[in-house]
């Protein structure tokens, strides 16, 4: 997810900072019990705003122990429970599990305190596999967010994510799950293959994770080696395309006064981001990426999924002032930003998540910095600080005459100087980055920990190690955990492989709380 707004490019690049900063354990590549395939039949009723879902998951026990039950997560319950408490328009929306079966046999289940958790009474011995089918009917709430429908341009747009049942991870002899966390994410999923048939009115264009084709109201989606599937459908979408490094990029956008500028800038930013992140981190694993424009609510710039990113288009769809002032932290000066700069930041950030979250997975609830911090680093310190065609076009749209190669060099020098000051403050208070979303350091906001401090930690490592060593380590980390799941400890092991000096360990100790290493 992209929070608005951390770093802004204008006539001079302004760096905002939260504070003056002040033995090998490898993560399992896969959970021992996992769903290797999902077969999904989904019907979208746009009159009732309702999903009818039949999800069949092929589950394999690759471990050495048997289990007495299987944990299915119907995450839509957690989403709607939150919505009921915060949005009047969502209070009648509900999700109902009709039945769960295995090979035609109806199964019972219990929920316990959190009704998102369906503990299915189905044992699975070591080495065995089974097919589990979940039938559920879920209302789509009226909410401008990652799961919900919104009325736009005299039509409708459906963001369908966090609404499909899935098998929880089974690691270290237990089922792993987290409560729904609306300001961020609580995902923790292994790679699987998804085959989806989505039925929707013929007037709707569909974007989705993976590759898809639509014929006579049925969209067939094949998403291989992905952590989840997200779907966006609208009867008001236009579609345009570009490519980068052989990857097809599809932009689904809404018509409006500035739609041509939105479409062009979004595609240019996507292309530049792909080229830069591929060069500095590694190869993107999929053939396509879909971008979708929508309204995503206050302070949300975008949302990431494997093969699909949602981008907030509020500044282009709504009738708002061209410029607006954001004051993110009480100790920082207000920032005057522009919708075009916001768009480049949002697109670069969400595309960065294709590398960190989509390809290299992590437990977003327990270690949110691993995806948000590293992605903020890609956005702010690679895309934003590289002279690019998309930034040139953005400056042109903003009538900014100061964006040039010299200004970008000055911005890089300013950032290096700032990071050196952090490094050279030996008595400064430690500011930890690797805590769970529900246990940030006292006085530190969870978002600040994950995004801001999570961005500064790799910057400090890069300055201390030197760019050559740091990017070699980052590339190694990406390749080692490519389509797997990593932890902070795994990241540190790779860093120390390239530089285990006192200076690097000093930086690590400044930002990493050893009590929360996993």
């Amino acid at each position: 997810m992209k929070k608005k707004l951390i770093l802004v490019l204008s006539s001079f690049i302004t760096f905002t900072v939260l504070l003056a900063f002040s033995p090998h354990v490898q993560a399992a590549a896969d959970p021992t019990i996992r769903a290797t395939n999902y077969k999904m039949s989904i019907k979208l009723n746009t009159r009732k705003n309702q999903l009818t879902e039949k999800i069949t998951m092929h589950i394999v026990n690759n471990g050495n122990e048997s289990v007495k039950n299987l944990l299915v997560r119907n995450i839509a319950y957690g989403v709607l429970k939150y919505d009921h408490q915060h949005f009047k328009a969502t209070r009648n929306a509900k999700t109902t599990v009709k039945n769960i079966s295995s090979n035609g046999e109806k199964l019972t289940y219990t929920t316990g305190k959190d009704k998102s958790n369906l503990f299915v009474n189905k044992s699975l011995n070591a080495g065995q596999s089974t097919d589990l089918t979940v039938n559920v009917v879920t209302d789509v709430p009226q909410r401008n967010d990652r799961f919900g429908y919104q009325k736009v341009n005299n039509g409708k747009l459906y963001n369908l994510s966090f609404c499909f049942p899935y098998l929880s991870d089974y690691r270290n002899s237990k089922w792993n799950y987290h409560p729904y966390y609306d300001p961020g994410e609580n995902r923790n999923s292994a790679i699987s293959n998804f085959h989806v048939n989505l039925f929707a009115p013929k007037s709707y264009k569909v974007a989705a994770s993976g590759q898809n084709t639509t014929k006579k109201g049925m969209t067939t989606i094949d998403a291989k080696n992905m952590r989840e599937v997200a779907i966006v459908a609208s009867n008001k979408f236009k579609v345009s395309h570009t490519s980068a490094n052989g990857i097809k990029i599809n932009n689904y956008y809404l018509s409006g006064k500035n739609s041509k500028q939105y479409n062009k800038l979004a595609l240019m930013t996507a292309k530049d981001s792909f080229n830069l992140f591929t060069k500095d981190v590694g190869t993107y694993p999929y053939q396509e990426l879909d971008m979708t424009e929508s309204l995503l609510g206050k302070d949300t710039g975008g949302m990431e999924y494997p093969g699909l990113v949602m981008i907030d288009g509020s500044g282009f769809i709504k009738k708002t002032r061209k410029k607006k002032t954001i004051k993110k932290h009480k100790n920082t000066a207000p920032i005057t930003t522009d919708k075009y700069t916001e768009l480049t930041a949002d697109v670069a950030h969400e595309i960065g998540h294709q590398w960190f979250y989509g390809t290299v997975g992590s437990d977003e609830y327990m270690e949110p910095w691993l995806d948000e911090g590293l992605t903020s680093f890609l956005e702010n310190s690679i895309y934003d600080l590289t002279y690019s065609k998309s930034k040139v076009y953005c400056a042109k749209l903003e009538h900014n005459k100061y964006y040039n190669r010299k200004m970008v060099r000055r911005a890089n020098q300013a950032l290096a100087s700032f990071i050196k000051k952090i490094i050279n403050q030996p008595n400064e208070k430690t500011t930890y980055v690797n805590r769970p979303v529900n246990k940030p350091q006292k006085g530190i906001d969870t978002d600040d920990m994950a995004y801001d401090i999570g961005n500064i930690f790799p910057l400090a490592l890069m300055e201390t190690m030197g760019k050559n060593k740091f990017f070699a380590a980052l590339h190694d980390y990406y390749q080692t955990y490519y389509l797997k799941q990593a932890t902070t400890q795994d990241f540190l092991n790779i860093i120390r492989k390239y530089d285990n000096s006192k200076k690097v360990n000093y930086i690590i100790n400044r930002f990493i709380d050893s009590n929360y290493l996993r």
Side-chain angles (χ1 to χ4, degrees):
M1 183 184 288
K2 176 69 171 66
K3 299 291 184 178
K4 295 182 178 177
L5 185 68
I6 301 170
L7 203 61
V8 179
L9 251 173
S10 59
S11 60
F12 180 79
I13 295 185
T14 304
F15 296 100
T16 60
V17 188
L18 171 64
L19 296 170
F21 285 103
S22 24
H24 182 71
V25 179
Q26 180 171 319
D30 294 305
T32 51
I33 300 175
R34 62 186 291 251
T36 58
N37 289 282
Y38 286 84
K39 186 177 180 180
M40 305 166 63
S41 178
I42 303 167
K43 296 179 181 178
L44 172 61
N45 186 324
T46 57
R47 183 176 59 84
K48 293 183 177 181
N49 300 312
Q50 191 176 76
L51 294 171
T52 301
E53 307 171 42
K54 180 180 181 181
I55 314 294
T56 299
M57 51 193 83
H58 183 68
I59 303 171
V60 179
N61 186 345
N62 292 316
N64 298 317
E65 59 184 354
S66 301
V67 292
K68 294 182 179 180
N69 55 44
L70 301 173
L71 176 54
V72 173
R73 292 273 291 159
N74 183 25
I75 194 172
Y77 178 85
V79 179
L80 295 177
K81 181 180 178 181
Y82 176 90
D83 288 351
H84 294 163
Q85 296 169 350
H86 295 87
F87 305 98
K88 289 183 179 180
T90 70
R91 288 182 181 173
N92 293 324
K94 62 182 180 179
T95 180
T96 304
V97 178
K98 295 297 184 181
N99 57 70
I100 301 177
S101 62
S102 178
N103 300 318
E105 177 188 358
K106 189 175 181 180
L107 302 174
T108 59
Y109 65 90
T110 57
T111 60
K113 205 169 189 180
D114 185 349
K115 293 184 180 179
S116 297
N117 295 329
L118 310 177
F119 291 93
V120 182
N121 294 316
K122 174 67 176 179
S123 62
L124 195 64
N125 296 327
Q128 284 189 334
S129 63
T130 190
D131 287 338
L132 196 71
T133 300
V134 181
N135 285 283
V136 60
V137 176
T138 298
D139 297 328
V140 183
Q142 185 174 356
R143 183 184 172 191
N144 295 348
D145 201 64
R146 53 198 176 186
F147 175 45
Y149 79 91
Q150 51 198 257
K151 296 177 181 179
V152 61
N153 289 359
N154 297 315
K156 284 184 178 180
L157 185 151
Y158 290 84
N159 286 331
L160 305 178
S161 69
F162 293 84
C163 58
F164 306 126
Y166 63 92
L167 185 74
S168 182
D169 270 7
Y170 190 84
R171 299 176 189 266
N172 303 317
S173 301
K174 65 179 182 180
W175 292 106
N176 294 323
Y177 58 88
H178 306 298
Y180 176 70
Y181 179 65
D182 195 79
E185 289 83 55
N186 61 335
R187 296 170 294 188
N188 181 28
S189 342
I191 295 295
S192 191
N193 297 317
F194 298 82
H195 181 82
V196 184
N197 287 331
L198 172 71
F199 300 89
K202 294 179 182 179
S203 59
Y204 277 71
K205 286 185 174 68
V206 177
S209 303
Q211 296 175 285
N212 65 83
T213 56
T214 300
K215 186 176 181 180
K216 296 182 179 179
M218 185 181 83
T219 300
T220 301
I221 303 165
D222 279 304
K224 295 180 180 178
N225 292 321
M226 291 189 168
R227 302 184 187 281
E228 64 178 325
V229 163
I231 301 169
V232 181
S234 178
N235 55 355
K236 293 297 176 179
F237 269 150
K238 292 185 174 183
V239 190
S240 61
H241 315 276
T242 191
S243 63
N245 292 302
I247 307 302
K248 185 179 180 182
I249 303 170
N250 310 304
N251 188 35
Y252 293 76
Y253 66 102
L254 299 159
S255 61
K257 183 179 179 181
N258 299 308
S259 60
K260 289 183 179 180
Q261 295 171 339
Y262 171 93
N263 176 55
K264 183 177 179 179
L265 183 57
L267 286 175
M268 290 178 72
T269 304
K271 187 167 186 171
D272 286 341
S273 298
F274 258 94
N275 290 334
L276 290 168
F277 303 159
T278 299
K279 173 179 172 290
D280 286 339
V281 185
T283 304
Y284 179 68
Y286 310 117
Q287 297 179 34
E288 291 189 25
L289 174 78
D290 287 356
M291 297 193 299
T292 65
E293 182 186 17
S294 65
L295 305 173
L296 288 177
K298 184 181 179 181
D299 298 330
T300 301
M303 184 64 204
E304 73 278 359
Y305 309 90
L308 182 144
V309 295
M310 298 175 184
I311 303 298
D312 180 62
S314 299
F316 295 85
I317 301 169
K318 288 184 174 181
K319 294 181 180 179
T320 58
R321 291 181 301 166
K322 185 177 180 181
K323 292 183 182 289
K324 62 182 179 180
T325 299
I326 297 174
K327 189 172 182 179
K328 184 170 173 60
H329 308 308
K330 64 181 180 180
N331 294 326
T332 60
I335 301 168
T336 300
T337 186
D338 190 284
K339 63 184 178 184
Y340 302 111
T341 292
E342 279 193 34
L343 179 59
T344 61
D346 296 342
V347 171
H349 185 93
E350 301 312 332
I351 287 180
H353 273 302
Q354 297 301 302
W355 277 257
F356 298 118
Y357 162 67
T359 305
V360 177
S362 57
D363 189 325
E364 297 172 303
Y365 191 90
M366 297 302 295
E367 299 181 303
W369 90 271
L370 269 177
D371 70 297
E372 294 298 354
L374 289 176
T375 298
S376 294
F377 170 79
L378 296 185
E379 171 204 343
N380 295 330
S381 303
I382 296 180
Y383 171 76
D384 233 6
L385 294 181
T386 302
Y387 186 82
S388 64
K389 291 181 179 179
S390 55
K391 279 293 183 183
V392 169
Y393 182 57
C394 178
K396 179 181 177 181
L397 293 173
E398 294 177 352
H399 306 290
N400 177 358
K401 299 178 181 180
Y402 299 97
Y403 183 81
N404 52 47
R405 294 182 189 275
K406 182 178 179 180
M407 188 270 285
V408 173
R409 284 196 298 271
R410 288 178 61 198
N412 278 276
Q413 291 167 359
L415 179 60
S417 176
F418 163 70
I419 294 299
K420 285 177 182 177
K421 288 181 180 179
I422 294 176
I423 295 170
N424 295 324
Q425 291 175 343
N427 298 319
E428 197 64 35
K429 180 182 177 183
T430 54
T431 310
Y432 295 129
V433 68
N434 64 313
R435 289 193 171 196
V437 297
N438 62 336
K439 292 182 179 179
Q441 195 173 354
K442 186 177 180 181
I444 304 294
D445 179 81
T446 295
D447 287 342
D448 295 331
M449 174 187 72
Y451 291 81
D452 293 6
I453 307 171
N455 170 40
I456 289 173
F457 176 45
L459 274 172
L461 286 174
M462 182 179 72
E463 187 64 33
T464 305
M465 297 170 68
K467 287 187 176 181
N468 289 341
K469 278 187 182 180
F470 175 79
F471 281 110
L474 192 64
H475 183 81
D476 193 348
Y477 171 71
Y478 181 74
Q479 292 299 325
T480 301
Y481 296 100
Y482 186 87
L483 298 180
K484 300 176 185 177
Q485 182 167 303
T487 66
T488 298
Q489 183 65 67
D490 297 320
F491 177 80
L492 297 181
N493 290 340
I494 299 290
I495 292 295
R496 286 176 170 136
K497 174 181 170 182
Y498 287 82
D499 192 334
N500 197 22
S501 65
K502 288 184 179 180
K503 288 184 178 181
V504 167
N505 280 288
Y506 165 71
I507 296 300
I508 290 172
N509 292 333
R510 284 275 299 275
F511 287 91
I512 298 299
D513 187 341
S514 60
N515 294 317
Y516 288 89
L517 277 177
R518 302 173 66 246

